[in-house]
Amino acid sequence: MCVCGKVEDYNSCCGRFISRKEKANSPEALMRSRYTAFSLGEVEYILDTERLAKPNTLAGLKQWCENITYTKLEVISSKEEGEKGEVRFKAYYKEGFEQTILEERSQFIKEADQWLYVSGDAKTEMVDVMTGISSSRKMGRNEPCWCGSGKKFKKCCGK
């Protein structure tokens, strides 16, 4: 299974884009490969696939990737209209004792036959891993664990 959650293996899924053997053929494919690159610390790929008004820095991205453990990706919707695209997703990651759920609506453009990330509207929810308490509500013991294990919270991160 690929890091992005698809059942394909890494090399036939995101690996072919991160290794530069192929270019991502849709906004969703690019978003998934960028998530995978963040997970694996492939910061050069992240920088090469974005056109931000305020670009990320190599050092900043390396530090971010070293401190984060990505646990799950959930694609909510994806659309492509000509040279523009949009993907809504949730990315789950841990940093220390905090689980964060990043929900983003990402915008993409296609330039010179390559999809690029240009911006994102994001909101986050932080959950204390030890207590399961989020900034907005308490995690129920019988709810599915947000780490993506498929277990109930009480049998997983809530232990």
Side-chain angles (χ1 to χ4, degrees), residues 125-143:
E125 177 183 359
M126 310 238 224
V127 180
D128 184 292
V129 175
M130 301 302 286
T131 65
I133 298 173
S134 74
S135 57
S136 59
R137 68 177 186 87
K138 184 177 179 190
M139 175 69 78
R141 292 177 34 82
N142 290 316
E143 291 183 46

Side-chain angles (χ1 to χ4, degrees), residues 88-145:
R88 281 190 58 223
F89 67 91
K90 288 183 179 181
Y92 298 73
Y93 60 88
K94 291 180 183 176
E95 184 175 16
F97 290 109
E98 235 172 36
Q99 168 77 33
T100 300
I101 304 166
L102 168 73
E103 186 172 346
E104 183 170 309
R105 180 176 304 191
S106 298
Q107 304 299 318
F108 298 87
I109 59 168
K110 194 173 189 179
E111 286 182 356
D113 203 35
Q114 179 176 348
W115 284 103
L116 301 166
Y117 171 79
V118 291
S119 67
D121 255 343
K123 67 178 181 177
T124 57
E125 177 183 359
M126 310 238 224
V127 180
D128 184 292
V129 175
M130 301 302 286
T131 65
I133 298 173
S134 74
S135 57
S136 59
R137 68 177 186 87
K138 184 177 179 190
M139 175 69 78
R141 292 177 34 82
N142 290 316
E143 291 183 46
C145 193

Side-chain angles (χ1 to χ4, degrees), residues 38-131:
F38 274 105
S39 298
L40 301 175
E42 296 283 351
V43 293
E44 291 84 7
Y45 179 77
I46 296 165
L47 292 172
D48 290 347
T49 57
E50 65 186 31
R51 291 292 178 266
L52 301 174
K54 184 181 173 192
N56 284 306
T57 64
L58 186 65
L61 281 174
K62 279 185 179 180
Q63 184 178 6
W64 171 260
C65 292
E66 288 170 1
N67 294 322
I68 301 297
T69 302
Y70 289 86
T71 57
K72 181 181 173 184
L73 175 66
E74 216 178 287
V75 176
I76 299 166
S77 66
S78 179
K79 68 180 178 180
E80 181 181 332
E81 295 174 356
E83 305 294 302
K84 294 183 178 184
E86 179 182 283
V87 180
R88 281 190 58 223
F89 67 91
K90 288 183 179 181
Y92 298 73
Y93 60 88
K94 291 180 183 176
E95 184 175 16
F97 290 109
E98 235 172 36
Q99 168 77 33
T100 300
I101 304 166
L102 168 73
E103 186 172 346
E104 183 170 309
R105 180 176 304 191
S106 298
Q107 304 299 318
F108 298 87
I109 59 168
K110 194 173 189 179
E111 286 182 356
D113 203 35
Q114 179 176 348
W115 284 103
L116 301 166
Y117 171 79
V118 291
S119 67
D121 255 343
K123 67 178 181 177
T124 57
E125 177 183 359
M126 310 238 224
V127 180
D128 184 292
V129 175
M130 301 302 286
T131 65

Side-chain angles (χ1 to χ4, degrees), residues 1-18 29 31-37 39-40 71-73:
M1 179 180 268
C2 185
V3 176
C4 77
K6 290 187 111 183
V7 285
E8 301 171 57
D9 68 273
Y10 170 78
N11 290 323
S12 62
C13 191
C14 294
R16 61 193 168 128
F17 306 132
I18 295 171
M31 186 279 305
R32 286 180 176 280
S33 66
R34 285 175 55 84
Y35 171 87
T36 300
S39 298
L40 301 175
T71 57
K72 181 181 173 184
L73 175 66

